């Protein structure tokens, strides 16, 4: 049985943090959830979609985060309980509606779950979206454990209804992408009839009285937070050092204090409600401590907010003599304060500094003793396109086309699996890597620079999911302003980077049901942009089409379409064939091909047999796509078709 | 309640994307839960579907659950799916008491395949580990998985070997039950066989 469907309050189950968030929404009687995939948030929607037939709630993969949040708002306007989930970058996309709609409020519970990625483990940045709670004037909850992830999301719905205001819940990678034991609660079944009555009107205008109303709601939130069970203290009555923390910082602080053996000197005030801050609660604890250390990730948001509060009349009298954190440089990892993830060691260092401990005795790793004996370099493991990935073929073609063209053409990249074109696996071809859709905007600008003497042709590389998410306005702009460049859509039929979620071009919805399939070609044709489609595995045809398109002096689109190899493997299994190196034909380094397959083309499944001095195939990872058999200049790689397994 | 030799007991599974690291850690954690222990898993994978490093921290406790990240130098058992990944993790999280079980089959980084970087000799990696850890055992888990019918079931072979060490207190049946809960059909059959073969394999002191 799916753990999310278990209706036994009190039962303990192992849940991924994102599943705990999904369960919290289910327990709150969720009606509607919309999301755009992005690590580390994607599994919330995946989990909710998995159990949607059981509970009857609606889920959708929206085309982008702004639409997702707007969809959830729409449901909340009719009185239903709605949620939108996204990664930190997504909030930037949704910020326009977030900051506007908060001014007018919502009758049904509306929760925005954001999963931040401190350290940028699977992101292009480590933006701290807690800043948005302040910016949009919405209450903010931060779970410290898997249990709290579930319980807080559940509570966020009733809080949102009590305040008639969107409530934001902020998770991070180490909660979302971790697993732990969660005790299940009761599942509320909310039978509501959605309706928007004539007197219901939600407009941000006029902002000034509306803004005052939302500020009043926030003050009420602050009052509610004063007694929230998500805020709690553990430690001595009058601690020498008071750690004020939130999110994962609580876990790391607790462990660090234990590691240092300073439990009798240090207390921990864990805050689950971090905007607005519960002032009276803080006052009670600040009175007891002379030093405060703030532990959080990744920006010093709590630290700044706490410090600002200390100048309030009520708190001035109890202000501790020292408030330490990232601003003071007390908390810092290898990259310095305010940069990167926290962990128990970073926090232990910070506590040692705050207590001025001399040489704290912490367990040492083997690093220093081993490093002095290592007489070799540990090779860096760079991420790579998977074996059989169509993007490798596309980048191979684009690399050759730009070389053939000979005008120092630029490949302007974007966000998706093909982002890896920035690195070795994409031959370092990609020259930019920022946010979804930006390649189109960049090229749209660069395509108008001829008058200044700019003569390098540009290829904007975007993915299929990105195309629907953020490329349409950019293409409209380029077409309208007659900008000239080649837009290549790498269509692998999935939002592959984040876990193969469907998108409007796949013909499937979040539940895996048939859905209208939007055609990239038709959309381009609708904008009068010349568009062609080619399979990147047909290297000669793709090279010719791309080369010709690059010579045109107007906006062109070429869709390079081939299904993601991992997705293909999941849906159909590996093809019943064997790809192998013909030892008679492969003459190794005598060939003159310069180890073309492994060194130049760079598929991770093409390895080198040191003993025989020839190429080899790693059968554990080979996807059996067979492209290498066409590219090998010595014609030494073979495919043998085998009987399919019964 | 099952007795833990150390609380929390810190297990690390080190490998690369696609090796089934996360499923392996889930099986161990589920087995712990079945014996009324608590488990927290911290997974570090980033964009590792694309061949990057993957590391799972599995922290088994008898009482209050602990956080998802093991502090430096506090690993108790390291199960390595790949040699250089294992060496790296041993340096960061190992200590003179740590035990290591390693599948010595390399997965080459693309920088090595391109000829720009060199993969160190496996013997040198094993020498270093052997000198600094309490116990190093190797297991040709990929070959064992191939014999079990699916070369990619290497992860379950390693879970079998991990279970057989008895360093974690869970009974074999709990792992088997966890595998049954996790998989279906042919995948279940293969994974059960892989686990069984790993359990019965005799990891050698040295490959």
């Amino acid at each position: 049985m799916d753990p999310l469907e278990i209706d036994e309050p009190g039962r303990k189950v192992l849940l991924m943090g994102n599943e705990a968030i999904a369960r919290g929404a289910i327990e709150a009687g969720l009606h509607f959830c919309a999301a755009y995939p992005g690590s580390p948030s994607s599994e919330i929607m995946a989990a909710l979609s998995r159990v949607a037939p059981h509970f009857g709630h609606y889920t959708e993969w929206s085309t982008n985060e702004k639409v997702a949040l707007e969809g959830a708002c729409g449901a909340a306007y009719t009185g239903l309980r709605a949620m939108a989930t996204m990664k930190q970058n997504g909030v930037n996309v949704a910020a326009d509606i977030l900051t506007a709609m908060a001014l007018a409020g919502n009758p049904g519970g509306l929760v925005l779950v954001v999963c931040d990625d401190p350290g940028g483990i699977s992101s292009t940045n480590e933006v701290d979206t807690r800043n948005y709670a302040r910016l949009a004037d919405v209450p903010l909850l931060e779970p410290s454990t898997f249990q709290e992830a579930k319980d807080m999301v559940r509570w966020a719905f009733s809080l949102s209804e009590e305040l008639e205001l969107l409530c934001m819940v902020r998770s991070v990678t180490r909660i979302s992408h971790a697993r732990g034991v969660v005790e299940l609660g009761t599942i509320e079944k909310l039978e509501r009839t959605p309706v928007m009555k004539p007197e219901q009107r939600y407009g941000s205008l006029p902002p000034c009285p509306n803004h005052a109303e939302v500020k009043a709601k926030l003050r009420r939130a602050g009052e509610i937070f004063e007694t929230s069970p998500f805020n709690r203290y553990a430690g001595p009555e009058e601690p020498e050092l008071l750690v004020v923390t939130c999110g994962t910082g609580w876990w790391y602080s607790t462990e660090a204090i234990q590691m240092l053996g300073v439990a009798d000197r240090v207390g921990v005030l864990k805050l689950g409600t971090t905007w607005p801050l519960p002032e009276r609660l803080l006052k009670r604890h600040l009175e007891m401590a002379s030093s405060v250390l703030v532990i959080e990730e990744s920006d010093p948001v709590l630290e700044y907010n706490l410090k600002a509060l200390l100048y309030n009349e009520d708190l001035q009298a109890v202000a501790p003599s020292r408030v330490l954190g990232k601003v003071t440089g007390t908390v810092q990892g290898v990259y310095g304060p305010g940069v990167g993830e926290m962990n128990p060691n970073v926090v232990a260092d910070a506590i040692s500094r705050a207590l001025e401990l001399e040489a704290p005795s912490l367990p040492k790793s083997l690093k220093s003793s081993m490093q002095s004996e290592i007489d070799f370099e540990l090779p860096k493991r760079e991420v790579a396109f998977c074996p059989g990935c169509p993007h490798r073929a596309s980048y191979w073609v684009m690399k050759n086309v730009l070389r053939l063209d000979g005008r120092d053409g630029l490949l302007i990249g974007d966000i998706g699996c093909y982002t890896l074109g920035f690195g070795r696996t994409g031959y370092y071809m990609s020259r930019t890597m920022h946010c979804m859709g930006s390649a189109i905007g960049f090229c749209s600008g660069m395509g108008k620079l001829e008058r200044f003497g700019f003569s390098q042709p540009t290829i904007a590389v975007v993915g299929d999911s990105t195309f629907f998410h953020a490329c349409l306005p950019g293409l409209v702009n380029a077409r309208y302003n007659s900008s000239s460049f080649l837009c290549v859509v790498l269509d692998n039929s999935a939002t592959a980077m984040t876990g193969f979620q469907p998108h409007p071009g796949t013909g499937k919805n979040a539940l895996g049901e048939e859905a209208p399939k939007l055609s990239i070609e038709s959309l381009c044709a609708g904008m009068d942009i010349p568009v062609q489609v080619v399979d990147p595995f047909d290297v000669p045809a793709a090279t010719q089409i791309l080369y010709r398109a690059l010579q045109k002096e107007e906006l062109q689109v070429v869709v390079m379409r081939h299904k993601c190899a991992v997705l293909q493997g999941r849906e159909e299994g590996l093809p019943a064939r064997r790809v192998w190196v013909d030892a008679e034909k492969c003459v190794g380094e005598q060939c003159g091909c310069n180890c073309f397959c492994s060194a130049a083309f760079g598929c991770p499944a093409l390895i080198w047999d040191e003993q025989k001095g020839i190429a080899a195939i790693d059968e554990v990872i080979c996807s059996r796509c067979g492209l290498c058999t066409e590219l090998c200049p010595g014609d030494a790689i073979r495919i043998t078709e085998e009987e399919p397994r019964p | 309640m099952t007795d833990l030799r150390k609380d929390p007991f810190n297990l690390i599974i080190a490998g690369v994307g696609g090796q089934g690291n996360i499923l392996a850690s889930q099986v161990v954690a589920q087995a712990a839960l079945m014996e009324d222990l608590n488990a927290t898993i911290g997974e570090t994978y980033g964009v590792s579907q694309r061949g990057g490093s993957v590391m799972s921290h599995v922290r088994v406790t008898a009482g209050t659950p602990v956080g998802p990240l093991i502090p430096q130098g506090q690993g108790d058992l390291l199960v390595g799916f790949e040699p250089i990944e294992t060496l790296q993790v041993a340096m960061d999280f190992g200590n003179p008491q740590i035990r290591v079980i390693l599948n010595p089959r390399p997965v080459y980084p693309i920088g090595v395949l391109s000829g720009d970087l060199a993969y160190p000799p496996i013997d040198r990696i094993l020498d270093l580990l052997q000198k600094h850890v309490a116990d190093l055992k190797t297991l040709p888990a990929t070959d064992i998985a191939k014999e079990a019918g699916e070369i990619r079931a290497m992860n379950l072979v390693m879970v079998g070997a991990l279970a057989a060490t008895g360093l974690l207190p869970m009974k074999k049946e709990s792992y088997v039950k966890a595998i049954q809960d996790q998989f279906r059909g042919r995948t279940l059959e293969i994974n059960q066989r892989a686990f069984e073969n790993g359990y019965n394999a005799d990891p050698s002191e040295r490959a």
Side-chain angles (χ1 to χ4, degrees):
Chain A
M1 189 183 202
D2 195 305
L4 294 189
E5 292 180 3
I6 297 173
D7 195 4
E8 288 172 47
R11 167 101 174 254
K12 288 182 175 176
V13 292
L14 185 72
L15 292 183
M16 184 187 209
N18 279 342
E19 290 175 321
I21 289 168
R23 173 72 189 202
I26 289 165
E27 289 185 5
L30 175 81
H31 297 105
F32 183 105
C33 184
Y36 184 80
S39 303
S41 72
S42 316
E43 296 81 3
I44 304 170
M45 170 57 79
L48 285 171
S49 297
R50 206 168 70 208
V51 298
H54 180 83
F55 290 108
H57 55 244
Y58 172 78
T59 61
E60 75 170 35
W61 284 120
S62 304
T63 192
N64 67 34
E65 294 86 351
K66 179 171 183 281
V67 180
L69 182 56
E70 286 162 349
C73 285
Y77 286 149
T78 72
L80 296 179
R81 289 195 159 180
M83 180 162 87
T85 69
M86 54 196 67
K87 73 178 295 180
Q88 79 274 13
N89 307 58
V91 189
N92 298 325
V93 179
D96 206 357
I97 185 58
L98 172 63
T99 50
M101 68 79 51
L103 288 175
N106 46 279
L110 179 60
V111 177
L112 168 63
V113 175
V114 184
C115 303
D116 281 4
D117 188 17
I121 296 169
S122 46
S123 307
T124 52
N125 63 42
E126 56 168 344
V127 163
D128 192 324
T129 59
R130 295 179 299 167
N131 290 298
Y132 272 109
R134 234 176 99 156
L135 190 71
D137 289 313
V138 295
L140 174 68
L141 307 179
E142 288 188 71
S144 287
T145 64
F146 312 105
Q147 185 70 44
E148 280 193 349
K150 176 185 84 63
D151 295 343
M152 270 184 185
V153 168
R154 179 185 182 135
W155 184 55
F157 282 94
S158 36
L159 179 67
S160 169
E161 282 174 7
E162 186 174 348
L163 298 170
E164 294 188 35
L165 180 61
L166 176 146
C167 183
M168 183 167 156
V169 179
R170 185 245 196 180
S171 177
V172 294
T173 303
R174 298 301 177 187
I175 300 224
S176 284
H177 276 188
R179 280 166 213 272
V181 180
V182 175
E183 188 177 322
L184 302 178
T186 51
I187 296 171
E188 258 185 82
K189 296 206 171 50
L190 289 180
E191 301 288 340
R192 287 188 183 172
T193 310
V195 62
M196 199 157 164
K197 295 185 188 124
E199 66 275 18
Q200 281 180 277
R201 293 160 68 84
Y202 304 98
S204 342
L205 279 173
C208 276
N210 284 346
H211 200 186
E213 270 180 44
V214 74
K215 295 281 186 201
K217 288 179 182 178
L218 267 189
R219 282 194 294 277
R220 265 172 53 214
E223 280 302 315
I224 296 167
F225 290 170
E226 293 289 353
T227 54
S228 165
F230 295 121
N231 304 322
R232 53 177 191 265
Y233 175 78
E237 216 160 281
E238 289 184 21
E240 189 181 327
L241 177 71
L242 176 69
V243 172
V244 179
T245 187
C246 57
T248 49
W250 171 75
W251 248 331
Y252 305 146
S253 303
T254 309
E255 184 144 11
I257 288 166
Q258 202 186 357
M259 276 157 62
L260 293 166
V262 292
D264 54 336
R265 299 168 65 186
V266 184
V268 178
L269 177 62
K270 183 201 89 74
L271 296 178
T273 66
T274 47
W275 185 255
L277 285 171
E279 283 188 44
R280 292 197 301 281
L281 174 87
L282 279 164
K283 186 181 174 192
R284 283 201 302 279
H285 289 281
L286 293 174
E287 270 174 341
M288 301 295 169
S290 57
S291 283
V292 167
L293 174 68
V294 184
I295 301 289
E296 62 190 312
E297 54 186 9
S298 48
D299 274 349
V301 175
L302 179 58
E303 186 180 349
Y304 280 130
N305 290 342
L306 179 63
K307 282 178 172 168
L309 214 59
L310 294 179
Y311 282 89
N312 285 4
E313 211 176 316
D314 260 12
L315 279 124
Q316 262 181 9
V318 302
S321 57
R322 299 191 306 170
V323 178
L324 308 169
K326 291 175 175 172
V327 180
T328 59
T330 315
V331 185
Q332 54 174 306
V334 283
Y335 300 108
V339 186
E341 275 197 296
M342 293 290 102
N343 62 43
N345 291 89
V346 170
V347 177
D349 280 350
I351 292 175
S352 306
R353 246 174 246 136
L355 289 175
E356 292 168 16
L357 297 181
E358 285 192 15
S361 62
L362 289 177
K364 292 236 175 346
S365 73
L366 295 174
K367 198 166 213 154
S368 52
S369 58
M370 280 174 112
Q371 232 156 16
S372 60
E373 292 175 27
I374 293 188
D375 52 3
F376 51 82
E377 290 250 342
L378 269 177
K380 197 176 151 211
R381 194 174 294 278
E382 296 157 280
V383 286
F385 293 135
C386 305
C389 177
H391 295 341
R392 179 177 295 101
S394 296
Y395 271 89
W396 180 254
V397 169
M398 289 189 284
K399 175 184 164 181
N400 290 327
V401 163
L402 286 179
R403 197 173 285 169
L404 283 170
D405 176 77
R407 289 179 288 164
D408 290 330
L410 303 170
L411 194 157
I412 302 298
D414 206 288
I415 295 298
C417 276
Y418 53 98
T419 295
L420 304 188
F422 207 72
R424 186 190 297 273
T425 196
Y427 319 112
Y428 303 106
M429 291 297 293
S430 191
R431 306 289 285 269
T432 64
M433 169 182 64
H434 298 295
C435 69
M436 296 183 66
S438 56
I440 305 268
F442 292 156
C443 287
S444 187
M446 286 170 155
K448 299 302 295 180
L449 303 181
E450 210 179 338
R451 73 189 65 196
F452 304 107
F454 182 68
S455 60
Q456 293 169 278
T458 55
I459 303 181
V461 177
V462 302
D464 43 344
S465 193
T466 304
F467 182 86
F468 295 108
H469 177 286
C471 294
L472 293 170
L475 277 177
V476 169
N477 181 72
R479 176 77 185 123
Y480 167 57
N481 290 301
S482 307
S483 185
S484 168
F485 60 93
L486 168 59
C487 169
V488 170
V489 183
L490 300 183
D491 181 356
N492 59 358
S493 307
T495 316
M497 190 64 144
T498 50
F500 319 105
Q501 292 83 7
H503 62 66
T506 61
K508 289 272 189 297
N509 66 17
L511 269 63
E513 301 160 340
E514 297 291 319
K517 184 172 177 169
L518 276 73
S519 151
I520 295 173
E521 301 88 289
S522 305
L523 285 167
C524 292
M527 291 183 257
D528 270 340
I529 302 171
V531 57
Q532 298 173 84
V533 184
V534 69
D535 183 343
F537 272 44
D538 185 349
V539 173
T543 306
Q544 196 171 62
I545 285 177
L546 236 59
Y547 180 82
R548 287 193 182 149
L550 195 62
Q551 310 312 310
K552 300 270 168 62
E553 283 179 6
E554 61 169 344
L555 178 62
Q556 305 276 316
V557 171
V558 173
V559 181
M560 300 184 86
R561 181 170 289 146
H562 193 104
K563 199 178 223 176
C564 164
V566 176
L567 190 61
Q568 177 94 20
R570 282 188 186 186
E571 288 175 358
E572 294 167 28
L574 284 173
R577 46 157 71 162
R578 201 163 64 89
V579 182
W580 53 285
V581 174
D582 187 341
E584 310 251 299
K585 288 243 178 168
C586 180
V587 290
E589 276 160 16
Q590 272 96 55
C591 174
C593 74
N594 199 20
C595 308
F596 177 86
C597 57
S598 60
F601 185 56
C603 171
L606 292 163
I607 57 177
W608 200 250
D609 186 329
E610 294 284 352
Q611 282 171 347
K612 294 186 194 155
I614 61 169
I617 310 271
D618 184 342
E619 60 174 323
V620 178
I621 58 175
C622 175
S623 72
R624 307 178 194 169
C625 74
L627 185 59
C628 55
T629 63
E630 287 170 38
L631 294 176
C632 170
D635 197 23
I637 309 179
R638 299 297 168 88
I639 297 185
T640 307
E641 302 293 335
E642 290 175 343
E643 284 296 305
R645 195 159 39 202
Chain B
M1 178 76 70
T2 319
D3 276 341
L4 275 173
R5 61 177 59 208
K6 190 174 156 287
D7 197 343
F9 186 92
N10 294 325
L11 161 71
I12 308 176
I13 304 180
V16 301
Q19 288 189 312
N21 187 315
I22 286 154
L23 273 174
S25 61
Q26 268 177 263
V27 168
V28 178
Q30 287 287 9
L33 244 68
M34 282 174 201
E35 303 202 10
D36 287 332
L37 294 161
N38 273 314
T40 306
I41 310 178
E43 294 159 355
T44 303
Y45 48 91
V47 290
S48 60
Q49 184 71 51
R50 292 10 88 170
S53 305
V54 185
M55 174 172 63
S56 298
H57 290 189
V58 184
R59 312 191 71 190
V60 181
T61 51
T64 322
V66 288
L69 292 182
I70 298 171
Q72 278 164 28
Q74 294 199 32
D76 297 308
L77 173 61
L78 169 56
V79 174
F81 287 0
E82 205 284 339
I84 54 170
E85 294 303 321
T86 306
L87 182 61
Q88 190 70 61
V89 171
M91 292 205 290
D92 290 337
F93 297 96
N95 56 67
Q97 283 77 45
I98 195 169
R99 286 153 187 274
V100 182
I101 315 172
L102 171 65
N103 174 7
R105 186 185 197 276
V107 176
Y108 297 107
I110 52 166
V112 170
L113 296 175
S114 75
D116 285 354
L117 307 171
Y119 198 96
I122 302 292
D123 270 347
R124 288 291 300 120
I125 296 174
L126 296 179
D127 285 343
L128 259 170
L129 284 170
Q130 198 159 34
K131 183 169 170 201
H132 291 274
V133 306
D135 183 46
L136 170 70
K137 290 208 164 55
T138 62
L139 188 69
T142 308
D143 300 335
I144 297 174
K146 197 174 177 179
E147 282 161 30
E150 173 54 67
I151 202 161
R152 289 162 213 237
M154 180 276 290
N155 56 343
L156 268 293
V157 173
M158 293 298 280
V159 172
L162 171 168
T165 63
L167 290 169
L168 273 162
M170 291 87 80
K171 293 189 288 288
K172 184 184 172 192
E173 295 71 54
S174 302
Y175 290 94
V176 172
K177 176 106 201 337
I179 293 167
Q180 284 165 350
D181 287 353
Q182 190 82 44
F183 304 99
R184 293 279 170 276
R186 183 172 176 268
T187 319
L188 170 62
E189 217 176 283
I190 284 168
N191 280 328
Q192 272 175 320
R193 200 153 56 226
F195 172 82
E196 197 66 36
N197 293 2
Y199 191 89
N200 294 323
D202 190 14
S204 52
E205 292 302 326
R206 194 61 195 268

